[in-house]
Amino acid sequence: MMVQLGQIVDALGGELVGGGREIVISRISPLETAQADSISFLSNPRYATQMAASRAACVVVAPAMRELAAQRGACIVAANPYVYFAKLTQFWKMQQQGVRPVGVHPSAVVDPTAEIAPDAYIGPLCVVGAGARIGAATVLRSRITVSDGCEIGERCLLHPGVVIGADGFGFANEAGQWIKIEQLGKVRIGNDVEIGANTCIDRGALDDTVIEDGVKLDNLVQIAHNVHVGAHSVIAGNAGVAGSARIGQGCSIGGAANILGHLTIADGTSISPTSMVTRSIRQPGLYTGIFPLQTNELWEKNAASLKQLHVLRERIKKLESALEGAKQQ
């Protein structure tokens, strides 16, 4: 595929400096591997030397890098180069694939009582249950199950293998045997949500499981029954959220992190990868650790001390020996 710089600027904005609108671009590349037909971007000034050495036909830069970028050739000046890059990838994909598909694939199974927006797309081997609702411009890629009564908003994207509305894990013990608690709630997903491959979101036991607008879930995420995820939060792969936990708005949950049930996570909180959250977090910040969870600053100090534990032990032994010797004199 080939486009001209002028087409990119017309579509996405920004100021073209140091080059002509007619320059042809055929790929998006990182600075270090860019060729003469590539467009690249610089979001971190630390990599300015890479930009100077890059063969890219054009580099997207912030206003502060305008003069330096113009010295090497064409550049597009944008307030946030990384966001511009994200929009550029969307533009590129649209040019490659054209208009996105709509309708229901012949191999999909959709219950007659389900409500599917006319411009939504239900892909191959998907299953949409009774009373389910799929909003406008939402795309279900393939092999996705949306169980009875579950709701998905507008402009959502679900990747292959997603399961929405499986039963939550609920059982009562009677004389050593487990009695199933029927899961009578549903899953409600807002607008502009993206859900990665093979992620599972369980229906609520009584109340609903809720995923608010703009949430982004990675592959292989487990969201248990009655969880509430606030708007524009992101959860990376292999993370697990236990039942009835409430994650605030604008939170970031790292890969393989786990949040225990019935906890509350404050708006704007970040959880480092592989951390185990065992208590509610009332103040936003970056939290890290397993036993126990603590602020990232405190965890780094303790981790540094732990790395030197053997040295500290030997020093203590020497001090104890010196004190014992002093007592005997």
Side-chain angles (χ1 to χ4, degrees):
M1 190 185 85
M2 295 185 295
V3 298
Q4 295 182 342
L5 282 180
Q7 293 176 271
I8 293 174
V9 173
D10 289 345
L12 304 179
E15 180 188 3
L16 178 59
V17 178
R21 290 173 53 88
E22 71 285 352
I23 294 176
V24 174
I25 302 296
S26 60
R27 70 189 74 188
I28 306 171
S29 305
L31 285 169
E32 60 271 24
T33 60
Q35 301 299 313
D37 60 349
S38 300
I39 184 170
S40 189
F41 72 100
L42 176 68
S43 61
N44 191 327
R46 290 186 298 177
Y47 301 110
T49 54
Q50 286 188 9
M51 179 185 69
S54 178
R55 298 178 59 193
C58 180
V59 180
V60 182
V61 297
M65 302 297 295
R66 173 193 178 113
E67 299 304 323
L68 185 61
Q71 291 176 14
R72 62 161 300 282
C75 65
I76 295 174
V77 181
N80 189 326
Y82 196 58
V83 171
Y84 197 97
F85 159 72
K87 293 179 179 179
L88 177 59
T89 61
Q90 295 178 6
F91 169 81
W92 203 266
K93 186 172 183 178
M94 181 64 70
Q95 298 300 311
Q96 284 182 323
Q97 297 186 353
V99 179
R100 65 174 180 79
V102 298
V104 178
H105 191 274
S107 66
V109 177
V110 178
D111 189 274
T113 63
E115 298 181 25
I116 311 295
D119 61 346
Y121 176 64
I122 312 300
L125 303 177
C126 290
V127 176
V128 181
R133 299 174 61 185
I134 310 296
T138 283
V139 173
L140 276 57
R141 286 274 171 83
S142 64
R143 295 183 292 105
I144 293 164
T145 298
V146 180
S147 298
D148 295 355
C150 294
E151 302 175 5
I152 301 176
E154 300 177 356
R155 301 176 301 279
C156 295
L157 174 59
L158 277 63
H159 292 276
V162 167
V163 177
I164 305 296
D167 279 359
F169 193 66
F171 299 89
N173 191 283
E174 181 182 44
Q177 297 186 10
W178 294 104
I179 309 301
K180 181 176 177 61
I181 300 171
E182 293 296 342
Q183 305 293 289
L184 305 179
K186 59 186 178 183
V187 176
R188 291 187 285 119
I189 296 175
N191 301 326
D192 303 300
V193 172
E194 183 164 347
I195 303 174
N198 295 319
T199 283
C200 296
I201 304 176
D202 292 343
R203 65 173 59 249
L206 297 177
D207 293 330
D208 298 336
T209 303
V210 178
I211 310 295
E212 292 187 358
D213 293 350
V215 168
K216 312 299 180 186
L217 304 179
D218 197 1
N219 302 336
L220 296 166
V221 173
Q222 165 64 26
I223 304 293
H225 57 187
N226 300 107
V227 167
H228 192 119
V229 180
H232 305 292
S233 288
V234 294
I235 303 179
N238 286 299
V241 184
S244 299
R246 295 186 66 87
I247 297 174
Q249 298 184 4
C251 293
S252 298
I253 312 300
N258 288 278
I259 298 174
L260 298 188
H262 300 273
L263 301 183
T264 298
I265 308 299
D267 293 351
T269 296
S270 294
I271 307 296
S272 293
T274 73
S275 295
M276 173 68 77
V277 182
T278 59
R279 57 179 173 81
S280 290
I281 297 174
R282 306 295 182 182
Q283 296 295 326
L286 173 59
Y287 292 81
T288 304
I290 299 177
F291 300 110
L293 188 80
Q294 52 203 219
T295 66
N296 189 72
E297 181 182 8
L298 183 58
W299 177 84
E300 288 181 343
K301 291 178 180 178
N302 288 335
S305 299
L306 187 62
K307 288 172 65 176
Q308 301 299 320
L309 189 59
H310 66 289
V311 176
L312 294 173
R313 182 183 63 185
E314 294 303 316
R315 290 177 62 185
I316 290 172
K317 284 183 177 180
K318 289 179 180 179
L319 286 171
E320 288 177 339
S321 178
L323 288 172
E324 187 66 26
K327 290 179 180 179
Q328 294 175 0
Q329 290 179 358

